[in-house]
Amino acid sequence: MENTSSVVGQSEGIRLPYFSEAAFLLSFITLSLIIGIMVFSLDVHILLIGSVVLAMLFCWRCGFNLEQQIEVMGESLKNATGAMFSFLLIGMIIGVWILAGTIPALIYYGLDMVSPELFLPAGFLVCCGITYATGTNWGAASTIGVALIGMGIGLGVPLPIIAGMIISGGVFGVNLSPVSDVTILASATVGTSVSNHLKALNKVNKVVLVLSTVAYYFMGAFFVGTETGGTGHIGELQTTLSQTFDMNLIVLAPIVVTLALTFAKIPSQIALFCGVVVGALVAGLWQQNSLTEVFAALNYGFTDSTGSELADKLLIRGGIQSMMWTFSLAFIALCMGGLLEKAGFLGVLLEKILPRIKSDFSLVLTTLCTCVLANVATSEVYLSMILNGSLYKGVYADRGFKPEMLSRLLGEGSMTSGMLLPWTTAGAFMTATLGVSPLVYAQYAVYVWLTPLVSLLLVAMGRTLIRGEATEVSRKQQESGVPQDAEA
């Protein structure tokens, strides 16, 4: 299993980590983050800085000097420039769209259109559809997702449940969309077609989609009104919004333009920036805000009080400064991920483990677990998919599986776990956009955690194994008595 960058490095006096070094470092980072955050409630930024320092020490033992390590971290940040810039654009969008009346109007009209009991399942399916069509869950979360939060809070649904519903719909759409980066990357990494990849995903996702929709229906029936003591306040909230903002439909122009550009497959950063510009124009020309007020909303978010506690809870948010916590977290996490990926710690660990894995179920379970581990270590979903796809591609081929078997697992392992870890770029983005940490909304992101569980269950039943022609290696395994599960 050759690591090209590491092989090149060896000629310069840089060696691969020893297995003991890789096992210790990855275990220490994983446990320190999980225990530090969940048990002792320590600040994730400081925990990550400690992990970066430890990773630098181990990289130094492997032959990387300080200048080379800084270069590696810089390259990791460079590759994530688009995502980092998106953080700033989302902060600007939320602030200026509230000032423009766009988000207040979506809340105002949405409360009239959706039955309270059907809010969660309907919102889930809307997020599924929009993300499927656009291929981006970040764009969906920062546009329709923000409006759904306002509607849900207005209906008295707890914020973590709303966030979990939005995340679930987004993950479904981005995993199943033929135009999403995740679909294209997973297919290309293992060498299969997009259509075969999507067929493989459907074996699991049809079941999970139905189960998730049913779960959100019962959640909606149970949780509506729990935060506000009922839904009788909705009329008062709508009155406050209509008195504070001009509710003419023209204020919906920013979200219409942004979604139209996204549907047209315009790069997300350009679509979001256009949304910022249109929002600023509507805020200035239609809501009659001064240039100073528009600029303040872009930087600090919406800060004016409406006189209603509930309305203020919905509206006082956004701006570039609201994203700085997320921006700094992603910055540190990407530095750590760049070091661990460049030095090859995960690859060394798997080289020792994979030969001991005999059954198909164990292989699938290990693949899903290392997708999670790669997200923990590198903080980037795309990098996790590339690393695991490269490491497992030959293994799955040797065992007689078609490439789409592995590509499906990359989506089920990397994409899902990336949304449930607060220090990944995806988790940090959702924290800043939706206002709640993955550690809080995780239990309500039903589709996200149910997908790998259902996948494992179906594999254990032999229902979703996708085999091709047996290779010479797999035939030798069968002849030597290695158990092989029956094809579905």
Side-chain angles (χ1 to χ4, degrees), residues 203-217:
K203 292 177 179 290
V204 174
N205 280 272
K206 289 185 293 186
V207 177
V208 183
L209 178 64
V210 173
L211 292 176
S212 300
T213 304
V214 172
Y216 284 121
Y217 173 79

Side-chain angles (χ1 to χ4, degrees), residues 456-465 485-488:
L456 280 172
L457 177 61
L458 292 175
V459 166
M461 296 168 61
R463 297 288 298 277
T464 57
L465 298 173
D485 297 339
E487 183 180 1

Side-chain angles (χ1 to χ4, degrees), residues 270-475:
I270 296 176
L272 293 174
F273 182 75
C274 290
V276 170
V277 173
V278 177
L281 291 174
V282 172
L285 299 177
W286 203 263
Q287 302 291 354
Q288 298 182 350
N289 292 288
S290 67
L291 187 62
T292 300
E293 291 171 326
V294 172
F295 274 45
L298 291 170
N299 191 28
Y300 300 108
F302 184 83
T303 57
D304 296 337
S305 175
T306 63
S308 167
E309 182 179 352
L310 178 57
D312 288 346
K313 183 179 179 181
L314 298 178
L315 301 179
I316 297 179
R317 61 177 65 211
I320 290 176
Q321 297 307 316
S322 70
M323 305 298 286
M324 286 299 101
W325 186 94
T326 304
F327 192 93
S328 58
L329 179 66
F331 183 95
I332 301 168
L334 287 167
C335 289
M336 179 185 72
L339 290 171
L340 296 177
E341 187 273 333
K342 184 68 174 180
F345 284 95
L346 185 61
V348 167
L349 196 65
L350 285 179
E351 282 181 344
K352 292 287 186 180
I353 295 175
L354 286 177
R356 303 180 182 181
I357 299 172
K358 303 302 181 183
S359 71
D360 292 334
F361 179 82
S362 298
L363 178 61
V364 170
L365 177 60
T366 302
T367 303
L368 293 173
C369 289
T370 54
C371 284
V372 177
L373 179 60
N375 272 329
V376 171
T378 67
S379 306
E380 178 52 60
V381 169
Y382 291 167
L383 189 54
S384 173
M385 296 178 74
I386 293 171
L387 282 174
N388 283 283
S390 301
L391 291 169
Y392 284 103
K393 185 176 179 180
V395 176
Y396 275 77
D398 290 343
R399 297 204 180 191
F401 290 109
K402 291 184 178 180
E404 52 265 32
M405 176 71 187
L406 175 57
S407 68
R408 186 192 88 202
L409 295 173
L410 296 181
E412 294 171 351
S414 295
M415 188 64 212
T416 54
S417 62
M419 290 293 175
L420 302 182
L421 297 171
W423 58 87
T424 63
T425 52
F429 177 87
M430 293 303 170
T431 299
T433 303
L434 305 179
V436 59
S437 168
L439 297 178
V440 179
Y441 69 62
Q443 60 183 314
Y444 304 110
V446 178
Y447 175 87
V448 180
W449 53 259
L450 193 58
T451 297
L453 293 181
V454 170
S455 180
L456 280 172
L457 177 61
L458 292 175
V459 166
M461 296 168 61
R463 297 288 298 277
T464 57
L465 298 173
I466 309 171
R467 296 194 184 279
E469 294 295 327
T471 63
E472 184 65 27
V473 175
S474 62
R475 280 194 291 269

Side-chain angles (χ1 to χ4, degrees), residues 190-262:
V190 304
T192 189
S193 67
V194 169
S195 60
N196 286 338
H197 170 72
L198 295 177
K199 288 177 183 178
L201 282 170
N202 279 326
K203 292 177 179 290
V204 174
N205 280 272
K206 289 185 293 186
V207 177
V208 183
L209 178 64
V210 173
L211 292 176
S212 300
T213 304
V214 172
Y216 284 121
Y217 173 79
F218 285 108
M219 282 188 196
F222 182 80
F223 284 107
V224 165
T226 56
E227 290 289 282
T228 52
T231 58
H233 61 283
I234 291 176
E236 179 184 345
L237 173 61
Q238 289 179 307
T239 299
T240 300
L241 294 176
S242 63
Q243 291 176 346
T244 306
F245 302 94
D246 188 329
M247 288 296 171
N248 191 295
L249 291 178
I250 192 68
V251 302
L252 298 178
I255 192 170
V256 171
V257 169
T258 303
L259 288 177
L261 292 174
T262 306

